[in-house]
Every structure is written in C-alpha cells, then in structure tokens.
Amino acid sequence: MEKDFIAVMEAPGVVKLEPMEIKPLKPNQVRIEVKYCSICGSDLHIYKGKHPYAKLPVALGHELSGIINELGSEVKNLKIGQKVVVEPVYKCGICEACRRGNYCFCEQLSFQYRKGNGAMRKYFTIEEECVFPISEDISFDIASLIEPLAVAVHAVRKADVRMGETVLVMGCGAIGLLVTALCAKVGASKVIAADQIYSRLELAKELGATDTINTKEINIKEAVKSITGSGVDKSIECVGIESTFMACLECLNMGGVATVLGIFENPEVKLTAPLIVARELTIRGSQAYCWDFKTAIEMATKVDLGKLLTHKFPMSEIQKAMDIATDRKEGAIKVSLYPDW
C-alpha cells in the first residue's frame, strides 16, 4: 500500500500535510479509505492555538466518511467495500464509567485526533466498534456531517427538550444549526435561534427555527420575553463565551435548564449565584456523544444537512480551506475536504 499524508497543525494558523507510514492493522482494526473529512469547530479553535484540550502540534480531522479498505483478522461484522462513518472517540474501556456503558464519562475520554490519529488523510485506521455502516443513498460529502449531527443529538437529549417546550439556541454555527433542526423535530413549540450573522439566522429558519434574534442589534433577554411572554424552558449554548453563557441563564423561565456545549477558549466564567439559586435553574454540560451515532445516522435523512455544506476543497489545499473556514466574511458553515493523492 502506498504512503499517506496527514494534516498537522504545527503552529497557530499554520497547517501542513506530513508524510506518514501506513502501518499493519491490529486484529480488531479497520482501515477506511477517506472520501470526505469536514472541518469541525474544534479544528478552528486549534487553528487559533486556543483549544483548551489540544496543544500544538496536533493532527486534524475527525468528521469523516469513507469506504472500508481493509479488515483486521478478528473483525466479524463489517465488510470490505462498505460505506461507513466513524465515531472518533478514544475511551479506555476498563474504568467504571466504561464498564457501565457511560463512556462519555470515561476517565481518559479523548478524541482520536488528539492521540495523533487525525482523519485529514487518505487512509484512516480505527477499532471496529467505532465504525458504522450507512446507506448507499447518503452521499460521502453529506455523510461527513453525521459526526457533528451526533454531537447535536447528544446535546438535545441531554437538554431533554420535550414536545411543546420553548427553546433558545445560542449560536448558529454548524452545531447550533443542527441543534435548532433537532429541537424542531422533537416538537418544541418555539425554537429561537440567536446569532450576529443574518445569513446564519436565515439558515436557522430554513432548518426549523420559529424565531430568530440578531444579538448584535437587539437585547436578547427583551427579545425572548417579547417572543414567549416570559422566558424559555430550555436554552442550549453553542458558542463558548461568557456573555452567551450568561444570556442562556438569564433568558430561562423559573426552573429552566441550560445545556452548555460550546468550547470555551477562556475557561473561567463568572456566574451570578443568586440568579441560579432564586430561580432554581439547572446547568448541564454536553460533550461529544454516547450511543448517539445510530440515531444521528437515522436523522441524517430527516435533516437537510446539505444546507450546511458551503465549501469543498482537495486536501492539498487544506491551508486555504482553514483560512476560509475561520474568515467570517467567507460565509462558511461547513468546509469539507477530500484526499487528492
């Protein structure tokens, strides 16, 4: 098998394709020929050198789709040629959380790219249990968005959004848009999307938002009260900054629930404790996924993922792709790349 290249973020704003050797498979591993790998919001934090859990240099890429190219000797449930997506988490498998099936609480939970196993390459290797076959009807470029859809599935489940409830989604990047779409699908009576970019707010409406708020122009607390008459039952923070986190709390009804999944480049947040105590608010965290991939695969045919895919590039142009993905003037939502060697 030929040699491969892998994308590595060497310094803030500098990404390169580095040659790598393709190693033999372990018995329980699968090799996948990558067809598309999309840029994640976490990749953009890495690009700025501000990801709190990924120190440079680090491999890039974990939102991938492809075809099984080779199977380890003990792999039983997959076949060469199958169209697949990957759950790219790393878990120990032996801690109490893993043994109970709650691997999202694993003491060593991480992601493959943080362990050097990035998916911005032609051949990606991972254990069989992390590989999920998908329908031939789903195109490879769209399939690369199933991983972020699984993140949104987990968040909406964690928020426990119910039929008839009112929800505020703070931030209309890719994850916020997917969360918006799923809240609408589960029957929320009001899904309010908030952002500072009109094009993203328009896209949120197309995906199911009943109302939108441009927080650059309107006070969000007043706008939410105008829409709902009080506040919202649930809020979901998809940005990762103190002001949006506080807005998610301030816009809640008494007894409301705020779920936080944004990546905070500045991790320290000042909370107004009496606000939480007097209003009996609940704050929940949501990280990645846990038994959510099969649901995400099912929902991939019910959410118009193609609306999010704004740019495609060959991997040889990854520097250009990352520059565009981080430049708000370019209007990028999801940027996906394909190997061209």
Side-chain angles (χ1 to χ4, degrees):
M1 186 177 287
E2 69 264 37
K3 284 191 175 182
D4 202 358
F5 296 86
I6 186 169
V8 176
M9 187 66 64
E10 296 187 338
V14 181
V15 58
K16 293 185 178 180
L17 291 170
E18 298 184 355
M20 64 173 299
E21 182 183 353
I22 298 176
K23 298 179 180 179
L25 292 178
K26 294 179 181 179
N28 66 332
Q29 288 184 327
V30 175
R31 193 170 344 264
I32 297 165
E33 181 180 349
V34 177
K35 294 299 183 180
Y36 275 90
C37 184
S38 292
I39 296 173
C40 175
S42 60
D43 294 323
L44 303 183
H45 290 289
I46 291 170
Y47 189 71
K48 292 185 285 184
K50 293 184 177 181
H51 195 297
Y53 311 119
K55 304 305 178 185
L56 304 182
V58 65
L60 289 177
H62 58 276
E63 301 181 358
L64 71 143
S65 64
I67 292 176
I68 293 177
N69 177 268
E70 186 181 354
L71 300 174
S73 60
E74 295 179 2
V75 175
K76 304 297 182 185
N77 299 314
L78 297 169
K79 299 177 182 178
I80 290 176
Q82 272 185 307
K83 198 172 187 176
V84 295
V85 293
V86 169
E87 183 183 58
V89 295
Y90 173 87
K91 50 191 181 293
C92 74
I94 59 174
C95 70
E96 183 176 354
C98 283
R99 292 199 305 270
R100 290 176 179 271
N102 297 322
Y103 60 87
C104 57
F105 302 143
C106 174
E107 296 169 2
Q108 299 181 45
L109 183 71
S110 187
F111 290 86
Q112 293 289 329
Y113 72 92
R114 297 182 198 170
K115 301 291 184 179
N117 193 25
M120 291 285 184
R121 59 204 278 193
K122 187 171 183 179
Y123 295 105
F124 181 81
T125 300
I126 197 167
E127 287 68 31
E128 176 186 15
E129 65 184 37
C130 298
V131 181
F132 293 81
I134 59 172
S135 169
E136 290 293 333
D137 296 333
I138 303 176
S139 63
F140 285 113
D141 53 353
I142 297 301
S144 70
L145 305 187
I146 288 175
E147 191 274 349
L149 182 59
V151 173
V153 167
H154 187 70
V156 173
R157 283 176 163 171
K158 203 69 181 284
D160 192 24
V161 176
R162 301 186 182 188
M163 186 180 299
E165 289 187 322
T166 54
V167 184
L168 169 66
V169 181
M170 181 63 72
C172 293
I175 296 298
L177 289 168
L178 292 171
V179 166
T180 296
L182 292 176
C183 286
K185 293 294 183 184
V186 299
S189 62
K190 291 281 186 183
V191 182
I192 306 168
D195 201 282
Q196 295 186 350
I197 301 175
Y198 271 115
S199 59
R200 293 188 176 191
L201 293 171
E202 288 301 314
L203 185 51
K205 279 189 176 181
E206 293 177 23
L207 290 169
T210 56
D211 302 89
T212 60
I213 299 171
N214 190 317
T215 57
K216 204 171 186 178
E217 300 177 354
I218 307 172
N219 179 281
I220 187 166
K221 188 176 179 181
E222 293 176 2
V224 166
K225 186 173 182 180
S226 175
I227 293 167
T228 65
S230 54
V232 291
D233 302 310
K234 306 284 171 65
S235 62
I236 305 179
E237 204 283 339
C238 305
V239 182
I241 59 177
E242 182 177 314
S243 61
T244 55
F245 178 63
M246 288 305 301
C248 280
L249 294 178
E250 292 168 353
C251 291
L252 286 172
N253 286 324
M254 295 282 284
V257 177
T259 301
V260 184
L261 67 153
I263 295 176
F264 286 73
E265 294 180 354
N266 298 312
E268 294 186 3
V269 174
K270 293 181 180 179
L271 291 177
T272 305
L275 171 69
I276 300 167
V277 175
R279 300 180 66 80
E280 295 197 11
L281 305 181
T282 299
I283 302 172
R284 295 173 179 169
S286 180
Q287 178 180 228
Y289 19 69
C290 189
W291 307 111
D292 298 299
F293 249 74
K294 288 187 176 180
T295 300
I297 291 169
E298 292 172 4
M299 293 305 297
T301 59
K302 298 175 174 62
V303 175
D304 192 352
L305 297 178
K307 288 184 179 295
L308 277 68
L309 191 54
T310 54
H311 297 75
K312 299 179 189 178
F313 291 94
M315 284 190 190
S316 60
E317 297 182 16
I318 187 169
Q319 182 72 56
K320 179 180 178 181
M322 293 296 294
D323 289 341
I324 285 176
T326 53
D327 187 351
R328 285 197 165 193
K329 295 178 182 178
E330 296 288 345
I333 300 293
K334 291 302 290 186
V335 178
S336 197
L337 299 102
Y338 53 89
D340 55 333
W341 55 85

